[in-house]
Amino acid sequence: MSAAQTKLYDLKISGSGTSGGGTFKDVKISGSGKIHGDLSCKDFHMSGSGKVDGKVDAEHMKTSGSSVFSGDIQTGTFTVSGSSKCNGNLTAQEVDISGSMKIAGDLFAQTLESSGACRVDGKLQGQSLETSGSLKVGKDCEVESFTSSGSVHIDGLLNADKIDIKLHHHSTIKEIGGETVVVKQSRTGKFFKQVVNFFTQKDEFLHCDLIEGDLITLENTKAKLVRGKHIIIGENCEIDHVEYSHELDTKENAKVERSTKI
């Protein structure tokens, strides 16, 4: 095959232009451009209100407007600073969200950093997750390291070796399992958050059915069952039952209905 036959060209769409899918070098969409069909490229950049009606396979992706992808996405890096929606699954090495991202399927990312709003209707899997905005997961979340300083809502199991949650807003996680689990109330802007919570009638607690780990430290947590080796039940906790094998330390401003050494 000759060099001319293998050469890849760039695709640029501005305004309200449309194009079919295919294999390209760099793809740039500005305005309200649309691509009909599957797309394969090196760099993908979308600004405006673009749409891809098909699957996307790219090395690098960046969206800064309002983007919609009807199929699965596979990429090395994905940077979202606007509003983006994927109606399939998203698989990436790195995902960075400073805007809002909604994934109708599953999210597989080695590293996920989000300071905006991230919603995954399916499951979330990866190595490192760090969020300071809003995170919602419809099924299980399985990572090696989980760090949160925003609001978290996980309808399934959060499973990670290291879990560090700083509560800024009302959060719910059905079940938590990890080696080290730390849940603490954020100390920043405490008065302002108290005023906001008063008017919105939202309590700044983490609600769980089950928390299980080796080393567990909790604040502002309401849970049915906490089970582990070394457990500290800190201020503003309301726990129905604690099961511990080594040590239990219950602080003065904490409520534990029942505790059992196992």
Side-chain angles (χ1 to χ4, degrees), residues 26-87:
D26 297 335
V27 175
K28 185 174 182 179
I29 301 174
S30 58
S32 58
K34 295 182 180 180
I35 295 178
H36 300 284
D38 296 343
L39 178 68
S40 177
C41 63
K42 181 179 179 181
D43 291 327
F44 178 92
H45 184 209
M46 180 183 289
S47 60
S49 58
K51 183 177 182 180
V52 178
D53 244 343
K55 300 178 182 178
V56 178
D57 188 343
E59 292 184 21
H60 306 286
M61 296 182 66
K62 184 175 183 180
T63 64
S64 57
S66 174
S67 56
V68 177
F69 303 89
S70 66
D72 295 342
I73 297 174
Q74 184 163 341
T75 183
T77 62
F78 196 166
T79 303
V80 179
S81 58
S83 171
S84 188
K85 181 179 180 181
C86 173
N87 290 323

Side-chain angles (χ1 to χ4, degrees), residues 209-258:
D209 287 348
L210 170 66
I211 301 175
E212 191 166 11
D214 294 334
L215 303 173
I216 301 175
T217 302
L218 303 177
E219 291 180 358
N220 283 59
T221 300
K222 296 181 179 181
K224 295 179 181 179
L225 175 61
V226 176
R227 180 189 294 126
K229 294 180 180 179
H230 302 273
I231 302 176
I232 299 174
I233 305 298
E235 63 179 17
N236 300 320
C237 284
E238 298 178 14
I239 313 299
D240 292 348
H241 189 194
V242 175
E243 294 180 353
Y244 65 101
S245 60
H246 289 69
E247 182 182 17
L248 171 61
D249 181 6
T250 303
K251 301 302 182 183
E252 183 177 347
N253 190 17
K255 184 179 178 181
V256 175
E257 293 289 343
R258 184 162 59 101

Side-chain angles (χ1 to χ4, degrees), residues 185-201:
Q185 183 186 23
S186 172
R187 300 298 190 259
T188 59
K190 189 173 181 179
F191 175 76
F192 174 75
K193 287 182 294 180
Q194 287 175 341
V195 173
V196 172
N197 290 336
F198 174 80
F199 284 107
T200 60
Q201 298 300 306

